Amino acid sequence: MTTTRSCIIRSRFAYRFLHSLRKMNQQDKTNSRRVKHAAYASMASVVGSKRAWSRAVLSKIRNRSLLLKKKKKRRRRSSDEFGELRKIVPGGQLMDFYNLLDETADYINSLTSQVHVMKNILNLLST
Amino acid sequence: MDIEIKNDSEPEKRNDQEVSMNYQSPNVSSEWQLNGSNLTNSSMGMVDSFCPTTWDQPTTNSSNLGFCDASVQMDLGPFRAGVDSTLGPNWTPSNAVLKGGMFLPPVPMMLPQSLAQFPADSGFIERAARFSCFSGGNFGDMMNPFSIPESSMNPYYRGLSSMQGPQEVLANNGLKSPQKLQHLSNVAESSKDVSLTHRDTQRSPLKNEKKSENVAKSQDEAKEVAGVSGNESDEAGCSGRQEETEGAGEESCGKNIGSKKRKRGGQDTEPDQMKGAQQPPSEIQKGEQNLNPIASKPGGKNGKQGSQFSDPTKEEYIHVRARRGQATNSHSLAERIRREKISERMKYLQDLVPGCNKVTGKAVMLDEIINYVQSLQRQVEFLSMKLATVNPRLDFDIDGLLAKDILQSRAGPSSSLAFPPDMTMAYSPLHPPQAGLLQSGLPGYGFPSEGFRRAINPHLATTSCGPGDYKDPSSQAPNEWDNELHNIVQMGLNSSVPSSSQDLSGSLPAGQMKAEP
């Protein structure tokens, strides 16, 4: 079951990511940051708004300009022993520990499939 | 006091059975209601003889609601630490049961179903009733193998409680004259009996066993009655002590169940003997204790309604169990639940993160997880960098890439799991030729493989082949690609277009493009 789900996620992610790459390519605005954002955004939108981390990623990408303007430093539970994990997992600052672990598991899953697909694309493109 | 010793040893014995016993409480009581209803004809007289003393006893409350409370308390016994002044008398015989239970060989299914065959000897039946008092705990144990899931019983419960409406009303009316009440309740029971015969079929083996145990106990322990009754006060002390730990409390709950049964048993097996007057005072006392639940049987049904309220809390506590010496207040229980959930999550993460299996200790594991996530993020970054460099040179074809991607991901999904970020540099030049050959060979030119792909995963096929249908329009109007709607449209088109042509058209340009760089 998980394998089929990850298969679906992978194919959808590849679809979205390739389209965004193509769009970037046609607009001649390709740089690594944009590609990375595209990868994250497409992964998050594939996973959907069910997961907190994908919501966080999407909102971060959508409100990039706002975030740049504000530059407000929010320090939340930085003294937490799991602060590092919170910093890594998007949206992890607001969660309690149990949900953080849950999100981390899902985030790891999607990251692995993302890396997998991106590697395949790169291989195919560079041949 | 050997009884005390046995009581001490009991909690450990039962610790593992506590859960099932807890769950059984509804089952057991309902069964015994059934038993009582089966035997009402014979048991009426007996009940009447005991009634006055029962109702005069200080522990029984004088109103129907009072009965409710008592039964609910019996259900919730373990969960309310301090409630139990009223429970004392109920628990003591159940403790005494343990002693009796030790001597009992289990005698399953040896006795005829109908109890009417027993009561020929009145003295024997009296003894049986008394000894059934001492066998409640054992019943709890014996019932475990037969435990039926609570959920299956619930409909019956509701049926029962609805049927008990008239009975309760009658009970309210008859409160002042206990005998009348008992008569009325018996009548109600008999009516129940008719309606519940279908349950009898289900229950018959269990009942049989119980009855047989009753008899066996009565036979075995006829000699010990006097001593045990003398010991009851001591055991009351023991039970008070046992309340201190939660496990013991639950045990006593199980015993309460047993005591309910016992009371039923008393009803069952003492049908025609109104000779209660002849019994020595201690026995009468026991009879009173036994009859408390009987008298509160309508209350018990009410109590079940009440226990439906208390079910969620019960459920919550059933999962987390305090062992000896652990704190039982709600905060530490909640904290324990939380810790269990977290550790379960951690186990799942441990399976997810490679190389995390050997690590022991939460902190180290968290470090591993953090490292893994960071490495994955770095990989994404690195790959996007590479893609950014590769991308401008290529006017790639999406559907061909997609087909290959999917195929490859299905072929070896786990290949990239343990991929260290530094390895990507060394890996990427080596990897592509084989993969590219394989992939371009398979999906593009082999129709059977395409069919295979569709058969296996139609969803993937539709999403991946969608672009193929639309390839030509997309080259003319590339901006439309980002629309989600197109995806759906393409899926709709997909069925009408033959798959072979799109595959060829999709894969050939990819091959041309590959030749370019």
Side-chain angles (χ1 to χ4, degrees):
Chain A
M1 188 206 123
T2 57
T3 56
T4 58
R5 186 173 171 272
S6 71
C7 262
I8 290 170
I9 281 183
R10 274 176 196 182
S11 69
R12 285 184 186 164
F13 165 72
Y15 183 66
R16 279 175 191 259
F17 182 58
L18 283 178
H19 281 303
S20 56
L21 273 188
R22 182 195 188 101
K23 194 177 164 193
M24 248 185 277
N25 204 8
Q26 281 159 357
Q27 289 171 355
D28 256 348
K29 284 188 203 166
T30 306
N31 60 25
S32 68
R33 197 173 51 86
R34 287 179 72 100
V35 172
K36 192 178 76 180
H37 281 312
Y40 277 131
S42 49
M43 193 69 227
S45 57
V46 163
V47 166
S49 61
K50 240 188 280 176
R51 286 290 171 180
W53 70 263
S54 67
R55 271 174 299 180
V57 164
L58 283 180
S59 71
K60 207 196 274 179
I61 288 176
R62 276 174 197 152
N63 303 330
R64 235 176 317 168
S65 55
L66 285 181
L67 286 181
L68 284 181
K69 264 183 214 163
K70 276 187 187 172
K71 282 264 179 169
K72 197 171 158 189
K73 268 211 170 176
R74 257 191 263 165
R75 289 241 160 194
R76 220 180 228 273
R77 294 197 219 176
S78 56
S79 61
D80 197 355
E81 55 176 320
F82 310 113
E84 208 167 345
L85 192 60
R86 283 183 199 285
K87 266 182 239 157
I88 287 175
V89 177
Q93 305 273 335
L94 306 174
M95 284 183 258
D96 65 338
F97 187 52
Y98 174 70
N99 288 327
L100 179 67
L101 288 182
D102 212 8
E103 292 293 325
T104 308
D106 193 73
Y107 187 55
I108 286 177
N109 269 333
S110 53
L111 268 185
T112 49
S113 54
Q114 191 180 6
V115 167
H116 185 82
V117 169
M118 284 175 80
K119 247 184 283 175
N120 286 342
I121 291 173
L122 188 62
N123 291 344
L124 289 174
L125 285 184
S126 58
T127 49
Chain B
M1 278 290 210
D2 52 347
I3 292 176
E4 280 189 10
I5 295 170
K6 279 162 192 168
N7 279 335
D8 282 340
S9 65
E10 271 306 302
E12 283 93 23
K13 247 209 256 173
R14 300 209 172 178
N15 266 339
D16 44 353
Q17 293 171 346
E18 282 167 9
V19 178
S20 54
M21 286 175 72
N22 254 345
Y23 274 113
Q24 271 176 358
S25 59
N27 291 337
V28 170
S29 53
S30 64
E31 279 168 31
W32 280 91
Q33 284 172 4
L34 242 201
N35 275 344
S37 62
N38 285 334
L39 298 170
T40 41
N41 299 334
S42 55
S43 65
M44 279 170 68
M46 185 278 295
V47 171
D48 285 345
S49 70
F50 278 110
C51 272
T53 54
T54 302
W55 289 83
D56 291 337
Q57 228 196 358
T59 53
T60 55
N61 297 320
S62 60
S63 69
N64 206 8
L65 280 181
F67 290 146
C68 243
D69 286 341
S71 59
V72 170
Q73 282 170 0
M74 293 203 306
D75 286 339
L76 293 180
F79 306 109
R80 296 186 192 172
V83 177
D84 313 312
S85 60
T86 58
L87 290 184
N90 288 333
W91 288 6
T92 43
S94 61
N95 279 331
V97 167
L98 298 177
K99 184 185 178 184
M102 307 246 160
F103 299 96
L104 281 190
V107 187
M109 308 293 285
M110 292 188 58
L111 290 178
Q113 293 192 6
S114 63
L115 275 185
Q117 302 178 2
F118 287 108
D121 176 5
S122 63
F124 167 73
I125 289 166
E126 273 187 14
R127 267 177 273 133
R130 254 184 278 131
F131 292 133
S132 66
C133 295
F134 301 103
S135 60
N138 283 328
F139 280 163
D141 286 342
M142 303 301 295
M143 288 300 298
N144 282 336
F146 300 101
S147 67
I148 293 163
E150 198 178 4
S151 59
S152 67
M153 292 303 299
N154 278 335
Y156 293 122
Y157 276 147
R158 279 170 206 136
L160 271 183
S161 56
S162 62
M163 272 181 266
Q164 283 145 18
Q167 198 179 353
E168 290 166 12
V169 173
L170 293 179
N172 276 330
N173 292 334
L175 266 182
K176 288 109 203 173
S177 61
Q179 296 183 357
K180 221 203 282 174
L181 164 67
Q182 286 297 331
H183 277 297
L184 293 177
S185 64
N186 282 335
V187 172
E189 277 179 354
S190 58
S191 64
K192 229 198 303 173
D193 190 11
V194 177
S195 62
L196 288 180
T197 45
H198 65 284
R199 255 175 85 198
D200 284 348
T201 57
Q202 276 188 350
R203 291 308 175 139
S204 56
L206 299 177
K207 271 188 287 179
N208 284 339
E209 179 157 5
K210 265 183 272 163
K211 287 162 192 170
S212 64
E213 281 177 21
N214 255 343
V215 174
K217 280 167 195 167
S218 60
Q219 288 170 346
D220 283 340
E221 297 161 11
K223 310 109 202 173
E224 297 152 7
V225 186
V228 172
S229 63
N231 286 332
E232 275 184 10
S233 60
D234 295 333
E235 283 147 11
C238 291
S239 68
R241 196 157 36 87
Q242 286 174 352
E243 287 172 20
E244 292 171 3
T245 65
E246 194 183 334
E250 278 151 13
E251 180 188 356
S252 61
C253 177
K255 285 172 195 166
N256 275 334
I257 301 161
S259 65
K260 275 188 209 163
K261 280 190 224 160
R262 237 178 293 135
K263 290 127 199 178
R264 293 274 149 247
Q267 251 190 350
D268 295 345
T269 51
E270 287 187 7
D272 293 325
Q273 285 80 33
M274 297 78 175
K275 292 129 195 171
Q278 303 170 0
Q279 294 177 346
S282 66
E283 289 179 359
I284 290 176
Q285 213 184 7
K286 272 186 249 162
E288 287 170 2
Q289 290 168 359
N290 294 338
L291 284 180
N292 274 341
I294 298 177
S296 67
K297 194 177 58 177
K301 288 145 195 176
N302 287 339
K304 262 159 234 151
Q305 291 171 350
S307 71
Q308 286 178 354
F309 279 106
S310 62
D311 263 349
T313 54
K314 238 184 178 178
E315 292 282 329
E316 190 181 343
Y317 284 98
I318 277 172
H319 295 295
V320 175
R321 209 151 284 290
R323 296 191 189 84
R324 284 212 158 179
Q326 281 181 327
T328 55
N329 58 351
S330 59
H331 288 289
S332 38
L333 278 180
E335 177 62 21
R336 206 171 298 133
I337 293 175
R338 179 177 162 273
R339 258 183 270 132
E340 278 178 9
K341 277 162 82 180
I342 284 179
S343 64
E344 165 196 335
R345 267 304 132 190
M346 288 293 259
K347 251 174 225 158
Y348 179 59
L349 271 175
Q350 209 173 8
D351 292 338
L352 215 61
V353 177
C356 211
N357 287 327
K358 303 150 202 162
V359 178
T360 56
K362 224 177 239 180
V364 188
M365 217 161 74
L366 271 181
D367 274 346
E368 283 289 322
I369 291 168
I370 288 170
N371 281 337
Y372 185 60
V373 173
Q374 273 176 340
S375 76
L376 281 176
Q377 283 172 339
R378 256 181 272 131
Q379 275 187 65
V380 169
E381 215 162 315
F382 172 77
L383 283 172
S384 58
M385 230 161 59
K386 289 277 282 182
L387 275 177
T389 58
V390 170
N391 197 15
R393 286 186 284 148
L394 295 178
D395 187 19
F396 55 83
D397 176 47
I398 289 174
D399 49 328
L401 285 180
L402 271 177
K404 284 152 205 168
D405 264 332
I406 290 155
L407 252 197
Q408 204 186 26
S409 67
R410 198 183 297 142
S414 64
S415 64
S416 71
L417 269 185
F419 205 75
D422 302 333
M423 287 283 284
T424 48
M425 291 290 287
Y427 224 78
S428 46
L430 294 180
H431 204 45
Q434 312 163 347
L437 278 180
L438 261 184
Q439 291 145 17
S440 63
L442 274 183
Y445 309 112
F447 299 139
S449 74
E450 172 63 19
F452 175 63
R453 191 162 61 111
R454 290 187 171 226
I456 284 185
N457 204 341
H459 185 80
L460 286 185
T462 51
T463 52
S464 66
C465 291
D469 296 338
Y470 242 69
K471 212 199 95 207
D472 293 335
S474 77
S475 61
Q476 295 161 3
N479 286 333
E480 293 177 359
W481 270 111
D482 350 358
N483 286 342
E484 288 271 345
L485 287 178
H486 271 266
N487 203 357
I488 301 164
V489 173
Q490 290 149 18
M491 285 205 225
L493 281 182
N494 200 16
S495 59
S496 61
V497 181
S499 63
S500 60
S501 66
Q502 37 158 323
D503 252 353
L504 272 184
S505 66
S507 58
L508 277 181
Q512 291 169 1
M513 279 188 337
K514 261 177 225 155
E516 273 181 22

